[in-house]
Amino acid sequence: MVSAKPPRATTKDEAGEDGRALTARQLTALVVARATSCAGFFAVLPYLGLWLVDSRGLSGADAGLVVGAAILANRAGGVLLVPLIHRLGLKASVGAGYLGAAVAFAVLGMGLTLPASGWLVLAASAGLSLAMATTALKAQVAAFAPDQRLRGFSYLNMAVNAGSAVGPVLGGFLLERHADALPLAAAALDLVALAAVPALPGAWRAGERPRAHAGGDGRGRGRWLPQRPFVVFSLLVCGTWVAYAQVFDVLPAYLGDSVNTRDLGLVFTLNAVLVVALQVPVSALSRRVLTRPRAGFGILCAAANVVLAAAVLLFAFGRSAGLGLLLGAMVLFTLSELVWSPLYDAQVAERRGALSTTAAYALAGVAWGAAESAGAWLGTLLAVRSSGPGALSPAAAPYWGAAALALLTGLVTSWGGRRKSDKPLSGQERNTHDVDVPARP
């Protein structure tokens, strides 16, 4: 664990709601907790169906249901658990989530003989527990000032990519050597994440203070009432997530036999390495852009989506081009992701209105997860059913469509970012990081 440096004077923009900036110790705890929990989940998830069929004797259909339950619970579970997170407090909820995931994975690895419904409950419990921890962790970071939020979410994005890269490698090794130890390894990694929780920001039982808002009394009755700016923002940036799905979820199916597995693994490894190496400096540059008078979220988001669109179009040529083009496309894709991924997370707190921070991140997570899932389903359907090596073949249609969506997202956010309102957003005093996404096109 890296120890914190001596405290220094902080500016208003650097200080959080409690008057402090994120310390080195807190940032280290964020990275350790997020990276190890992601590594544990992704060590199990890609191989869970195979493990259930080979080691536990489930049918393919039953194993598919169990895997689907784990994914759905992890994606949408935060919404179901918001009342519990409000009651426990953010830091305690992070700890409870990691503890619950460790227990669920440990029971999975105990060698029990269960019906398909039993495995489904255990897998869903692990997904729900991790969703609870992730939602509360994001709300903890969102409690800091805008500049510190973007910094914190940058470290979280770096940790997610590191964990999701290491996890499948660890899971594949264990599946070949000690298959029964696969869930136990995930449980051990969640215990490491749990050990980092005491160093996270905030007090154990501290809950989110109800937020005063125009038309409300500040007593928390609007915690579940998303307002139009938040809804528009959350739905608008779904275009980015659809484009993202074509790379991370559809690309293996699209490339098929055109690219061997080793080369495809190298392409995705490049993404993970670049995120870990470049996330912090790129986010520091993003923070400087956000503070410029003629820049801000709109310009930054537009630039990121233009680069994303270019990367997606290059991937469309992947069936007929060589490895070099795929690697170049992944570099562009990663540079885009380094900007928009932490930026969108930070903007959820900016645009939540009367929603509690916990509810805002849970609802945004459902919207973006649904967009990614829909994009992955449609993209895979078209890529698998269609044939043809060229970028103009029907199989490449998802990539052209995704590029158009990314460009449209960038265009609308850029236009909205130039329209500054004199009225403070969401009842807050305006700052240089606020964004005006238009309510109507």
Side-chain angles (χ1 to χ4, degrees), residues 130-155:
L130 290 173
M132 178 182 183
T134 300
T135 302
L137 194 64
K138 288 186 175 183
Q140 279 186 300
V141 176
F144 284 79
D147 185 66
Q148 291 295 298
R149 280 185 213 135
L150 186 58
R151 185 184 180 206
F153 284 121
S154 299
Y155 276 85

Side-chain angles (χ1 to χ4, degrees), residues 6-365:
R8 60 177 178 83
T10 59
T11 65
K12 182 179 180 180
D13 279 345
E14 290 178 320
E17 290 182 357
D18 57 1
R20 295 182 294 109
L22 282 165
T23 66
R25 181 170 181 262
Q26 291 169 338
L27 287 171
T28 301
L30 287 170
V31 170
V32 170
R34 197 76 173 98
T36 53
S37 61
C38 282
F41 186 67
F42 285 105
V44 173
L45 186 65
Y47 311 106
L48 180 58
L50 181 62
W51 181 79
L52 289 170
V53 171
D54 290 347
S55 298
R56 294 295 175 262
L58 267 65
S59 67
D62 288 342
L65 286 176
V66 174
V67 174
I71 294 173
L72 180 62
N74 185 251
R75 287 288 190 182
V79 171
L80 301 176
L81 295 172
V82 166
L84 179 59
I85 295 173
H86 283 158
R87 180 176 295 274
L88 293 178
L90 297 179
K91 193 168 184 175
S93 295
V94 176
Y98 289 144
L99 179 60
V103 171
F105 282 127
V107 175
L108 271 171
M110 288 176 61
L112 302 177
T113 301
L114 298 174
S117 58
W119 297 113
L120 188 148
V121 168
L122 287 175
S125 298
L128 278 172
S129 297
L130 290 173
M132 178 182 183
T134 300
T135 302
L137 194 64
K138 288 186 175 183
Q140 279 186 300
V141 176
F144 284 79
D147 185 66
Q148 291 295 298
R149 280 185 213 135
L150 186 58
R151 185 184 180 206
F153 284 121
S154 299
Y155 276 85
L156 287 183
N157 190 51
M158 178 179 65
V160 168
N161 279 271
S164 60
V166 171
V169 175
L170 175 62
F173 173 81
L174 290 175
L175 192 67
E176 289 185 0
R177 303 290 183 91
H178 307 285
D180 289 340
L182 186 60
L184 298 178
L189 287 167
D190 283 318
L191 289 177
V192 174
L194 179 62
V197 171
L200 292 174
W204 279 105
R205 291 288 299 171
E208 182 180 355
R209 292 189 293 272
R211 182 174 182 175
H213 183 73
D217 59 5
R219 296 177 184 174
R221 287 187 293 199
R223 283 182 167 190
W224 279 101
L225 298 176
Q227 294 171 303
R228 183 159 47 179
F230 174 80
V231 173
V232 170
F233 166 74
S234 299
L235 295 180
L236 175 63
V237 300
C238 282
T240 303
W241 286 102
V242 171
Y244 172 91
Q246 307 315 306
V247 177
F248 263 85
D249 302 314
V250 179
L251 192 62
Y254 173 67
L255 294 178
D257 297 331
S258 303
V259 178
N260 63 53
T261 305
R262 185 182 64 181
D263 287 346
L264 189 59
L266 179 62
V267 172
F268 285 107
T269 299
L270 176 64
N271 170 261
V273 171
L274 288 178
V275 169
V276 173
L278 299 179
Q279 181 65 81
V280 173
V282 168
S283 291
L285 178 62
S286 296
R287 293 199 300 272
R288 287 198 291 270
V289 172
L290 285 172
T291 58
R292 291 179 180 175
R294 296 184 179 274
F297 171 83
I299 299 299
L300 200 57
C301 183
N305 277 280
V306 168
V307 175
L308 174 61
V312 171
L313 285 180
L314 286 178
F315 279 120
F317 292 85
R319 285 187 171 184
S320 55
L323 178 61
L325 182 137
L326 292 174
L327 292 174
M330 184 54 81
V331 170
L332 287 178
F333 174 85
T334 305
L335 290 175
S336 168
E337 182 190 5
L338 291 172
V339 175
W340 62 257
S341 182
L343 189 63
Y344 287 173
D345 276 335
Q347 280 299 311
V348 170
E350 294 288 329
R351 307 209 52 87
R352 63 187 174 96
L355 280 173
S356 72
T357 309
T358 308
Y361 281 101
L363 291 172

Side-chain angles (χ1 to χ4, degrees), residues 344-440:
Y344 287 173
D345 276 335
Q347 280 299 311
V348 170
E350 294 288 329
R351 307 209 52 87
R352 63 187 174 96
L355 280 173
S356 72
T357 309
T358 308
Y361 281 101
L363 291 172
V366 170
W368 298 345
E372 183 184 351
S373 298
W377 171 76
L378 182 59
T380 302
L381 181 68
L382 294 174
V384 171
R385 288 192 175 183
S386 305
S387 60
L392 298 179
S393 68
Y399 292 88
W400 291 93
L405 273 176
L407 288 175
L408 181 61
T409 300
L411 176 65
V412 177
T413 52
S414 176
W415 175 69
R418 292 196 299 270
R419 294 185 59 195
K420 298 296 181 184
S421 169
D422 294 330
K423 183 179 180 181
L425 284 174
S426 309
Q428 292 189 72
E429 182 180 343
R430 176 173 294 282
N431 59 58
T432 57
H433 303 278
D434 284 339
V435 180
D436 287 324
V437 178
R440 290 183 295 270

